């Protein structure tokens, strides 16, 4: 989580620059500064903070603040992801503001909780774009929620940067959606090579069938692992929020795997890890960045 927070330090300048310049296929214009009429010798001059700027989405930045949006899982199944990422974003904004802000303006974060739900992500991003009129958006952590939110950002022409959504489809939404992390085809290939190098020749897979992250990771792992000569011993699935995985684990146990790949999020993975012991399935468990939580 610490590395995720550090990576966010680079996002703020990129997000603001993207918001002021705009996505490449969206109209963008800069409104010239205008001075006050009449008065003394300085009456027709303005400071950088006074100059309004029109963004690619048509939102005007004026006054002393630049609004940056964030959508995050502050509550729900992956709350530690959202909370940790939010802390990193706020830290970055505080540091930028302490150095004078951007173009003389202070950054202000508008953060909305998507409750770890894809449909809520779509709703809050729509609000950030249409009502709050932010110039750029940071988020989400989970790929499924980034896909929903990213589609809205692309529609409104508001740049979005995800710190850790790894499904390759996220940035294929359009030229307004960016990421600063590796993708699932990369980390799944690394996992495949690791498994094969460890002499795990028969790996079973337990994936979250409703998660774009989990499904994509499993597919990319399978593609690379079988190319290396490994065999997928068996597959089973679950859905986020499930609490009993013993039936799936017993099925996988019957395939005699050397290891089990669980490309899921930490909430379910912790329970799965305990239940593998309950059913006597004592083999190594493999996963990706979805496991990255103090919980």
């Amino acid at each position: 989580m610490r590395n995720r927070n550090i990576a966010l330090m680079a996002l703020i300048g990129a997000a603001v620059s993207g918001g002021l310049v705009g996505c490449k296929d969206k109209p963008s214009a800069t409104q010239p500064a205008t001075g006050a009429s009449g008065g003394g010798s300085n009456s027709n001059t303005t400071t950088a903070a006074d100059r309004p700027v029109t963004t690619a989405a048509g939102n005007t930045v004026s006054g002393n603040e630049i609004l940056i949006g964030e959508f995050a899982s502050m509550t729900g199944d992956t709350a530690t992801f959202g909370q940790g990422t939010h802390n990193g974003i706020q830290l970055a904004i505080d540091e930028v503001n302490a150095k004078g802000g951007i173009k003389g303006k202070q950054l202000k974060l508008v953060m909305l909780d998507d409750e770890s739900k894809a449909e809520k992500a779509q709703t809050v991003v729509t609000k950030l774009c249409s009502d709050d009129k932010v110039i750029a958006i940071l988020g989400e952590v989970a790929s499924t929620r980034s896909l929903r939110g990213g589609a809205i950002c692309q529609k409104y022409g508001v740049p979005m940067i995800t710190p850790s959504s790894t499904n390759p489809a996220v940035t294929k939404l359009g030229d307004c959606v960016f990421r600063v992390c590796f993708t699932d085809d990369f980390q799944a290939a690394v996992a495949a090579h690791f498994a094969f190098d460890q002499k795990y020749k028969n790996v079973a897979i337990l994936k979250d069938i409703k998660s774009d992250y989990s499904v994509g990771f499993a597919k990319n792992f399978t593609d690379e692992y079988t190319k290396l000569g490994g065999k997928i011993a068996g597959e089973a699935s679950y859905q986020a929020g499930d609490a009993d995985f013993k039936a799936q684990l017993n099925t996988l146990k019957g395939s005699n795997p050397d290891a089990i790949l669980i490309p899921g999020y930490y909430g379910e993975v912790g329970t799965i890890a305990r239940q593998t012991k309950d059913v006597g399935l004592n083999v190594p468990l493999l996963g990706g960045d979805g496991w990255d939580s103090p919980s």
Side-chain angles (χ1 to χ4, degrees), residues 149-189:
I152 299 300
C153 288
Q154 187 66 32
K155 173 185 175 181
Y156 280 91
V158 176
M160 179 188 115
I161 304 178
T162 170
S164 45
S165 287
T166 50
N167 188 291
V170 171
T171 51
K172 294 179 181 179
L173 288 168
D175 64 310
C176 287
V177 183
F178 306 88
R179 82 176 96 231
V180 292
C181 59
F182 50 73
T183 54
D184 287 332
D185 49 356
F186 171 78
Q187 69 166 332

Side-chain angles (χ1 to χ4, degrees), residues 206 236-237 244-253 275 279:
L206 180 57
S237 63
D244 188 349
F245 306 90
K246 292 181 180 178
Q248 296 97 314
L249 291 171
N250 275 313
T251 296
L252 295 179
K253 181 180 178 181
Q275 292 184 8
V279 302

Side-chain angles (χ1 to χ4, degrees), residues 109-258:
L109 184 66
V110 182
M111 192 282 294
L112 296 180
D113 179 15
D114 60 31
E115 302 171 6
S116 301
K117 299 175 181 177
E119 62 275 12
K120 188 63 180 287
Q122 183 172 328
T123 299
V124 298
V125 172
T126 299
K127 181 181 184 301
L128 289 170
C129 292
S130 63
D131 296 346
D132 298 307
K133 299 188 182 304
V134 299
I135 73 159
I137 290 180
L138 301 176
E140 229 266 9
V141 171
S143 293
T144 297
R145 298 191 288 270
S146 283
L147 284 166
R148 292 289 191 94
I152 299 300
C153 288
Q154 187 66 32
K155 173 185 175 181
Y156 280 91
V158 176
M160 179 188 115
I161 304 178
T162 170
S164 45
S165 287
T166 50
N167 188 291
V170 171
T171 51
K172 294 179 181 179
L173 288 168
D175 64 310
C176 287
V177 183
F178 306 88
R179 82 176 96 231
V180 292
C181 59
F182 50 73
T183 54
D184 287 332
D185 49 356
F186 171 78
Q187 69 166 332
V190 171
H193 280 267
F194 175 81
F196 196 77
D197 290 346
Q198 293 297 311
K199 310 301 181 184
Y200 306 147
K201 299 301 176 66
N202 298 281
V203 174
I205 297 176
L206 180 57
K207 63 187 177 184
D208 181 349
I209 196 66
K210 293 294 186 179
S211 167
D212 294 294
Y213 162 74
S214 187
V215 171
F217 193 119
K219 180 184 184 303
N220 287 307
F221 176 90
T222 298
D223 290 346
E224 188 68 18
Y225 183 66
T226 53
K227 285 180 184 177
L228 294 171
K231 178 184 176 182
I232 301 301
E235 290 192 47
S237 63
Y238 65 93
Q239 295 184 32
D242 289 350
D244 188 349
F245 306 90
K246 292 181 180 178
Q248 296 97 314
L249 291 171
N250 275 313
T251 296
L252 295 179
K253 181 180 178 181
S255 67
N256 296 313
D258 299 324

Side-chain angles (χ1 to χ4, degrees), residues 77-78 80-81 238 241-242 245 264-274 290-291 293 295:
D77 296 337
T78 55
T80 66
F81 284 165
Y238 65 93
D242 289 350
F245 306 90
Y265 292 133
Y266 65 89
E268 288 78 25
V269 171
T271 303
I272 291 169
R274 289 193 296 270
W291 291 23
S293 169
S295 296

Side-chain angles (χ1 to χ4, degrees), residues 70-115:
E70 177 196 2
F71 67 118
S73 53
M74 299 298 287
T75 58
D77 296 337
T78 55
T80 66
F81 284 165
Q83 293 165 7
T85 300
H86 171 69
N87 290 340
I89 290 173
Q90 190 61 62
L91 175 63
I93 284 180
D94 290 344
E95 290 195 359
V96 170
N97 285 339
K99 296 177 181 178
I102 302 291
K103 297 183 181 294
K105 301 177 187 292
Q106 293 286 286
L107 302 180
K108 180 179 179 181
L109 184 66
V110 182
M111 192 282 294
L112 296 180
D113 179 15
D114 60 31
E115 302 171 6

